[in-house]
Amino acid sequence: MHQVLVYADSLSWGIIPNTRRRLAYQDRWPGRMEFELQDRGLNIRVIEDCLNGRRTAWDDPIKPGRNGLIGLEQRIEVNSPLSVAILFLGTNDFQSSHRVDAGQSARGIATLVDAIRRSPIEPGMPIPDILLIAPPKIQTAVGSMAEKFEGAETKSAGLSESIRKVAIEKQCDYFNAAEVATTSVLDGVHLDKDQHHKLGIKLAGVVEDMLTRIER
């Protein structure tokens, strides 16, 4: 069995835009991806580790535990053996409480890649291949996200390209979620159910290609 870890934030947790409710597993992209891969005949388990408000390598000034670097090595150890680890982070780096630009956020992603590769996994277990996903473009935040993400659409400019450069530098796989998904007009930050569906189907193909390469 292949195990795939999704290490991410509320865009993958499945928060319903402008609410505090959560989409069902089959309606959020990790679940849609898992079912699609199983339909293609793969023996696969998708492990969700998606925390609302998670940053790359920054602390939330109000809520503890949102720094994605803290405890990541142990999460890799806990869930091993892993074939693939997916990092889908960056959006929360641009909350109004931070002065972070796209390049700094991408460097935060780079620190997470390094942490995964130095994880204290058991002897003989594989270091997982890593897929970096650039989040879809943040729109002008409205509704419940307006104050929290004020100015985020400007600060995050160039994030997808910055993450792509990190993927090249660190020899990771890369996917730009903006190729298939857009953030919701309801809050400008999160994904509507139909966008989760499209993203899950597309990422099934990306992960299938990675697993085929691993098996060679």
Side-chain angles (χ1 to χ4, degrees):
M1 173 180 283
H2 286 290
Q3 295 200 123
V4 175
L5 175 69
V6 177
Y7 193 70
D9 56 23
S10 57
L11 274 73
S12 303
W13 187 84
I15 197 165
I16 300 173
N18 219 25
T19 77
R20 303 308 302 176
R21 300 193 305 275
R22 187 182 193 185
L23 291 168
Y25 182 66
Q26 68 271 15
D27 292 326
R28 49 189 189 259
W29 76 258
R32 184 65 264 154
M33 180 181 73
E34 179 178 63
F35 295 146
E36 178 67 18
L37 287 168
Q38 289 174 346
D39 287 345
R40 297 181 188 189
L42 277 77
N43 187 14
I44 191 165
R45 175 182 177 228
V46 174
I47 303 166
E48 294 180 298
D49 191 331
C50 308
L51 178 65
N52 292 340
R54 179 178 280 153
R55 279 76 163 158
T56 57
W58 320 102
D59 292 320
D60 185 317
I62 298 173
K63 291 183 178 180
R66 265 59 183 180
N67 184 328
L69 184 60
I70 305 302
L72 175 56
E73 294 172 51
Q74 286 69 42
R75 283 176 162 89
I76 298 300
E77 183 181 9
V78 164
N79 292 299
S80 289
L82 293 168
S83 298
V84 174
I86 298 175
L87 296 178
F88 189 178
L89 291 168
T91 297
N92 288 297
D93 289 1
F94 304 103
Q95 288 194 23
S96 55
S97 56
H98 300 298
R99 294 186 176 182
V100 175
D101 63 24
Q104 291 168 322
S105 179
R107 294 319 303 170
I109 293 285
T111 66
L112 302 183
V113 171
D114 292 341
I116 289 172
R117 289 175 172 163
R118 66 170 179 258
S119 299
I121 56 179
E122 294 298 320
M125 287 190 177
I127 298 171
D129 284 11
I130 299 173
L131 171 61
L132 305 184
I133 302 178
K137 189 178 188 310
I138 302 172
Q139 302 182 57
T140 300
V142 295
S144 60
M145 294 292 107
E147 182 178 358
K148 184 181 287 188
F149 283 91
E150 183 179 3
E153 72 279 9
T154 300
K155 291 191 294 182
S156 62
L159 180 61
S160 59
E161 177 61 17
S162 294
I163 293 177
R164 187 186 71 83
K165 289 178 179 177
V166 168
I168 293 171
E169 173 194 341
K170 297 293 184 180
Q171 297 183 309
C172 298
D173 288 85
Y174 169 79
F175 181 74
N176 183 2
E179 291 183 15
V180 294
T182 57
T183 51
S184 176
V185 298
L186 296 177
D187 67 9
V189 176
H190 296 104
L191 301 176
D192 293 316
K193 184 168 73 171
D194 64 324
Q195 302 302 297
H196 275 271
H197 181 88
K198 290 195 294 185
L199 187 58
I201 297 297
K202 181 65 176 181
L203 287 172
V206 175
V207 170
E208 183 178 24
D209 288 344
M210 293 178 69
L211 296 178
T212 298
R213 185 183 66 216
I214 290 168
E215 290 176 346
R216 286 178 185 155

